[in-house]
Amino acid sequence: MPDLPLPPGSTIGVIGGGQLGRMLSQAASRLGFDVVILDPEENSPAGRVSRGQVVAAYDDPTALTVMGRVCQVVTFEFENVPAASMETLAEGGALVAPGPTALKVAQDRVEEKAFLNAVGAPTVDYHPVDSLDDLKAGLERLGTPAVLKTRREGYDGKGQVWIKSAKTAAAAWAAIGERPAVLEAKADFVRELSVIAARGWNGETAVYPLGENIHSGGVLKTTLAPAAVDAKTDRRARAIAKAVLDGLDYVGVIGVELFDLGDGVLRVNEIAPRVHNTGHWTQDGCVCDQFEQHIRAVAGWPLGPTTAHARVEMTNLLGDEVEQWSKLAAKSDARLHLYGKAEARPGRKMAHVNRVKNL
């Protein structure tokens, strides 16, 4: 295991070559690090801005051996990386951050909810579902409407279905492919908030101001930050973030999505053990953005400041919305972040724009 903090010139490995990996690589480069990406897609968005890319599956033994040998620390950009891959790297002596435990917890919605409630970060009521009979029992206990989600995978609204009547249980069970799932009670929330937080190897933590999120079709469309929240809500969100970080013995940046029920009462929707879409506003609203913060954390550097110096409206550009790039680039209050993806498929995240306003 290398000595920390890692000096400039060290190599950081990132598993995953999408836009988050790309922005992590760009942040690492600013701090003097080299970055190697592992991704099965040749010329991935992250690979094209990095020192190199290993083109292989995320669980390829040879590729993992190479990553462990050439990188002083290995991290990941999305939570569907096999936890076993991170375990293989750690067992081989590589420094891994966040650790495999965070992936295991975040990859299974039932395990995630059990963990969150155990550390004092409460969720909505839920019921594990492994069969149609389980689903019927859950609906009887939780009532309707309720949302049925696959236990594993699924993001941006995929792998889930709302159930408005117990009569549609069989159809809902079929709609998710009759896979292991979790039934969640409906959260009677005012709005959705999120908190981006970081923890270093020494247990130091840093928390960014909250963001308020607006979704469309199950996909995040806009984040407004810093969100207008009272002191009680802010304190509770920070306490939840710290409980999650400490409970996982976490190293790196994490995103925690929250349901705001009002009067300082929050419920955790889910956690993402990585830099997060709702934290993109920090690129233009804070001195140290979430991507640099993650690199600082995994490299053992001091965590950077999280105070906002501007108010930001972050908007995702999906599919052919990216064709607005020329018009957006001409706006004096907008900063455009393009992901370098070749194909603008419907619903695909192609870029985001941060509209910056004075506090």
Side-chain angles (χ1 to χ4, degrees):
M1 181 177 292
D3 292 331
L4 296 174
L6 296 180
S10 301
T11 300
I12 295 177
V14 178
I15 300 184
Q19 69 265 19
L20 299 180
R22 182 184 180 96
M23 289 181 277
L24 282 171
S25 182
Q26 291 168 327
S29 295
R30 289 197 303 273
L31 299 181
F33 293 109
D34 291 330
V35 176
V36 174
I37 303 296
L38 170 59
D39 194 274
E41 177 191 336
E42 288 190 41
N43 298 313
S44 68
R48 293 202 305 278
V49 299
S50 302
R51 178 185 176 187
Q53 178 182 335
V54 177
V55 181
Y58 301 128
D59 58 355
D60 183 276
T62 301
L64 293 173
T65 298
V66 170
M67 293 291 285
R69 287 178 178 172
V70 304
C71 303
Q72 279 68 67
V73 65
V74 181
T75 188
F76 49 86
E77 65 134 14
F78 74 122
E79 61 267 43
N80 286 331
V81 170
S85 294
M86 304 308 287
E87 289 176 340
T88 297
L89 284 163
E91 289 166 0
L95 189 63
V96 172
T101 299
L103 269 181
K104 285 183 177 178
V105 168
Q107 286 176 349
D108 187 306
R109 287 189 170 97
V110 173
E111 286 193 27
E112 180 184 66
K113 284 178 169 50
F115 161 78
L116 289 167
N117 286 287
V119 299
T123 69
V124 296
D125 200 1
Y126 67 98
H127 190 90
V129 174
D130 291 307
S131 67
L132 180 56
D133 285 341
D134 286 341
L135 176 56
K136 290 178 178 178
L139 289 169
E140 185 174 342
R141 184 170 75 83
L142 301 180
T144 56
V147 60
L148 181 67
K149 300 179 180 179
T150 54
R151 280 184 67 154
R152 303 180 69 86
E153 300 179 340
Y155 59 93
D156 289 343
K158 299 177 177 66
Q160 60 183 263
V161 59
W162 277 96
I163 302 177
K164 297 181 179 179
S165 167
K167 296 178 181 178
T168 63
W173 180 235
I176 65 163
E178 300 184 355
R179 291 187 289 167
V182 61
L183 184 70
E184 298 178 9
K186 184 178 184 297
D188 188 19
F189 63 97
V190 178
R191 57 182 172 171
E192 185 187 286
L193 301 171
S194 60
V195 58
I196 306 298
R199 186 174 183 271
W201 289 100
N202 62 357
E204 175 191 9
T205 59
V207 183
Y208 288 93
L210 275 68
E212 179 175 349
N213 307 315
I214 301 166
H215 289 77
S216 177
V219 181
L220 178 71
K221 188 59 183 173
T222 301
T223 294
L224 306 171
V229 296
D230 57 34
K232 185 177 180 181
T233 301
D234 185 69
R235 285 194 303 270
R236 182 63 183 132
R238 289 172 178 272
I240 286 173
K242 190 173 188 309
V244 172
L245 290 169
D246 291 343
L248 292 171
D249 194 18
Y250 195 86
V251 175
V253 164
I254 196 168
V256 183
E257 296 180 6
L258 302 162
F259 294 130
D260 180 5
L261 276 57
D263 196 30
V265 179
L266 301 173
R267 293 289 180 266
V268 180
N269 178 24
E270 62 182 26
I271 59 174
R274 54 173 171 80
V275 287
H276 197 251
N277 197 165
T278 64
H280 290 353
W281 72 272
T282 62
Q283 290 174 299
D284 300 296
C286 300
V287 171
C288 179
D289 67 45
Q290 66 164 344
F291 300 99
E292 178 179 327
Q293 193 77 279
H294 187 79
I295 297 301
R296 282 171 170 262
V298 303
W301 285 31
L303 299 183
T306 56
T307 304
H309 58 67
R311 191 173 303 283
V312 178
E313 178 182 308
M314 188 286 301
T315 301
N316 280 326
L317 300 181
L318 308 177
D320 61 8
E321 290 176 346
V322 74
E323 300 304 328
Q324 304 172 41
W325 65 265
S326 180
K327 182 172 70 173
L328 290 168
K331 294 184 178 296
S332 61
D333 67 340
R335 189 173 182 203
L336 187 60
H337 299 264
L338 294 157
Y339 301 156
K341 295 181 179 179
E343 184 183 358
R345 297 192 298 268
R348 191 184 194 194
K349 293 174 182 174
M350 299 297 295
H352 67 272
V353 60
N354 284 335
R355 292 178 173 85
V356 183
K357 305 181 187 302
N358 293 330
L359 280 172

